[in-house]
Amino acid sequence: MLTRKIADSTVRRLAIYLRFLEEFERQGADTLSSEALAARAGTTSAQVRKDLSFFGSFGKRGLGYDVHALARQLRNILGLTRRYRVLLVGAGRLAGALTQYAEFGARGFDIVVVVDKDPAKIGMRWAELVIADVTDLENIVKRARIDIAILVTPAAPAQALVDRLVAAGVTAMLNFAPVQLHVPAGVDVKNVNLAVELETLSYAIQHRGSS
Amino acid sequence: MLTRKIADSTVRRLAIYLRFLEEFERQGADTLSSEALAARAGTTSAQVRKDLSFFGSFGKRGLGYDVHALARQLRNILGLTRRYRVLLVGAGRLAGALTQYAEFGARGFDIVVVVDKDPAKIGMRWAELVIADVTDLENIVKRARIDIAILVTPAAPAQALVDRLVAAGVTAMLNFAPVQLHVPAGVDVKNVNLAVELETLSYAIQHRGSS
DNA sequence: TCCTGTGAATTAGTTCACAGCG
DNA sequence: CGCTGTGAACTAATTCACAGGA
């Protein structure tokens, strides 16, 4: 793993390429050019080749890429050859939707625990999951061997929860709360802010025709 | 609106600054430095000033920014001085979570219609919303004067639905389906791919310590 | 003095263009 | 040939650093 710093945009595109490779795989394609993959993924062939080149030479000149082999390589690169144990922090409606989100499971992410602080929710069952008490967060993280936490809480308690998660040894988090979380080096946080996405659309609507 | 092309990353940050400005506003702060705003938003003061400078000079040298005035400016820039009528395409669990997502309403995005193709769902009530038949998509878009569509469907039908939405006059969409959508110029699509976010985390986990 | 606003310098990311291998 | 892999060229984004107004 001699990889120097790879841009986040590159990693995202690799994940997207993998999706389309698997689609081509299902359609029975054996070989694929960077051009064809780029068309599907909405980028350019040079971008595809450059992205892949950071990790090795996976193609055959004059031919393209072996669909199966490249998919396998991308799964290796992305760390998708194992399964991850995911904790949901917050048992609201978005959390409920995420537990049912089939794509997570298909890609190796298993939601194994949900915690909340609301006594009315604690003990409730969501399919095979039972909502646990956030008070026990540290024990749960350890006993359930959590790899990744997904924060689906209001903004206010998010930082305190992150501090507890970090102290308990969680090093990767996906944050839906609209706050900037502070974590020590060695811990990765990715933010998803749905309202911000809509606001970039409202910006675009506002600034039409002024090109 | 003399604005030349502004980077997407800049627009996102403006939306984030606005959040923190409103937080400072609630706490009764009147004035704020780029440094303080940057600290809260997880960036640098130079970045804050540069982002704002694309749109004007909003600060006072030696003092900082007037919190209220800057918030008002950002709402102008982002097009948040009006409300937007939003259509949800797909009535799954994620859609259900989005209808309850208070932040949307707080920021001016009103979900006014939900459509689905499942006869078992059509006619069901979600609070004040009644799930409509996607067959009537074109009429609904027009009658409900839809500004923005949110696609919360499986990958397969997404492109066909987008084509219908575009034909019906929708020019801004937020896409949760894991496909690359093709739209004509003048139509904006933002993608949210939750599985890709988790995959960037699995990449980060995989590539630890190899810096 | 303090902190903004902004050109200039730097760094990062993308695209070009072609050598080289199958 | 055809298509990859990759330096080189270019473009975009961020950071620096400081002039100048409050």
Side-chain angles (χ1 to χ4, degrees):
Chain A
M1 221 58 32
L2 52 123
T3 50
R4 54 201 156 99
K5 188 63 177 56
I6 300 295
D8 192 63
S9 52
T10 294
V11 176
R12 287 184 124 70
R13 281 194 300 268
L14 293 177
I16 290 168
Y17 300 156
L18 176 56
R19 275 187 174 59
F20 294 121
L21 276 171
E22 289 173 342
E23 190 178 306
F24 284 111
E25 227 172 359
R26 282 193 298 276
Q27 292 168 2
D30 281 342
T31 199
L32 191 68
S33 69
S34 58
E35 190 59 47
L37 187 50
R40 202 76 187 72
T43 182
T44 65
S45 61
Q47 182 77 79
V48 169
R49 296 198 301 279
K50 181 65 89 181
D51 287 339
L52 296 175
S53 77
F54 295 128
F55 298 94
S57 300
F58 307 122
K60 288 198 181 22
R61 292 171 194 231
L63 249 172
Y65 300 88
D66 179 285
V67 173
H68 300 278
L70 185 56
R72 201 175 319 117
Q73 290 288 357
L74 288 183
R75 279 187 285 262
N76 276 331
I77 292 166
L78 293 169
L80 299 176
T81 52
R82 51 165 290 199
R83 299 196 72 82
Y84 292 87
R85 300 175 62 82
V86 178
L87 163 69
L88 275 180
V89 183
R93 279 185 162 249
L94 185 53
L98 296 180
T99 62
Q100 297 297 109
Y101 199 54
E103 215 187 341
F104 285 170
R107 305 229 136 254
F109 302 97
D110 299 311
I111 295 172
V112 294
V113 191
V114 186
V115 296
D116 202 286
K117 70 160 201 175
D118 180 355
K121 285 180 180 163
I122 294 165
M124 269 178 57
R125 298 196 49 137
W126 278 2
E128 73 292 351
L129 294 168
V130 178
I131 299 173
D133 188 338
V134 70
T135 307
D136 300 329
L137 188 63
E138 289 77 3
N139 288 328
I140 288 164
V141 164
K142 274 159 197 162
R143 280 208 314 275
R145 303 191 315 283
I146 296 301
D147 300 303
I148 298 174
I150 301 183
L151 268 112
V152 211
T153 67
Q159 182 64 56
L161 287 163
V162 165
D163 293 344
R164 291 175 64 192
L165 289 164
V166 168
V170 178
T171 59
M173 308 184 199
L174 185 58
N175 173 42
F176 284 81
V179 277
Q180 183 61 33
L181 298 173
H182 298 278
V183 293
V187 178
D188 288 276
V189 177
K190 302 284 168 188
N191 294 290
V192 176
N193 194 320
L194 301 177
V196 167
E197 301 302 324
L198 281 183
E199 289 168 44
T200 66
L201 283 175
S202 100
Y203 175 86
I205 291 170
Q206 172 90 338
H207 295 255
R208 290 267 173 71
S210 53
S211 55
Chain B
M1 220 62 26
L2 52 124
T3 49
R4 54 202 158 96
K5 188 64 178 59
I6 300 295
D8 192 63
S9 51
T10 294
V11 177
R12 288 183 124 71
R13 280 193 301 268
L14 292 178
I16 290 169
Y17 301 156
L18 176 56
R19 276 188 172 59
F20 294 122
L21 276 172
E22 289 172 342
E23 191 178 306
F24 283 111
E25 227 172 359
R26 282 192 299 275
Q27 292 168 2
D30 282 340
T31 198
L32 192 68
S33 69
S34 59
E35 189 59 46
L37 186 51
R40 202 75 188 74
T43 180
T44 65
S45 61
Q47 182 77 79
V48 169
R49 295 197 302 277
K50 181 65 90 181
D51 287 339
L52 296 175
S53 77
F54 295 130
F55 298 93
S57 300
F58 308 121
K60 289 199 181 25
R61 295 174 191 226
L63 250 173
Y65 301 88
D66 177 285
V67 172
H68 300 277
L70 185 56
R72 200 175 321 116
Q73 290 288 355
L74 289 182
R75 278 187 286 262
N76 275 332
I77 292 166
L78 293 169
L80 299 177
T81 51
R82 51 165 290 200
R83 300 196 71 83
Y84 293 88
R85 299 174 62 81
V86 178
L87 163 69
L88 276 179
V89 183
R93 282 185 160 248
L94 185 52
L98 296 180
T99 63
Q100 297 297 109
Y101 199 53
E103 216 187 341
F104 285 171
R107 304 227 137 256
F109 301 98
D110 298 311
I111 295 172
V112 293
V113 191
V114 186
V115 297
D116 202 286
K117 70 160 202 176
D118 180 355
K121 284 180 181 163
I122 294 165
M124 269 179 56
R125 297 197 47 138
W126 278 2
E128 73 291 353
L129 294 169
V130 178
I131 300 173
D133 188 339
V134 71
T135 307
D136 301 327
L137 189 62
E138 289 77 2
N139 289 327
I140 288 166
V141 164
K142 274 160 198 160
R143 279 208 315 276
R145 305 191 315 284
I146 296 300
D147 301 303
I148 298 175
I150 302 183
L151 268 113
V152 211
T153 67
Q159 182 64 56
L161 288 164
V162 166
D163 293 344
R164 291 175 63 193
L165 289 165
V166 168
V170 178
T171 57
M173 308 184 197
L174 186 58
N175 173 41
F176 284 82
V179 278
Q180 183 61 34
L181 298 174
H182 298 278
V183 292
V187 178
D188 288 276
V189 178
K190 302 284 167 185
N191 295 291
V192 176
N193 194 320
L194 300 176
V196 166
E197 301 301 324
L198 282 182
E199 288 167 44
T200 66
L201 282 175
S202 100
Y203 174 87
I205 291 170
Q206 173 91 339
H207 295 256
R208 290 267 173 71
S210 52
S211 53

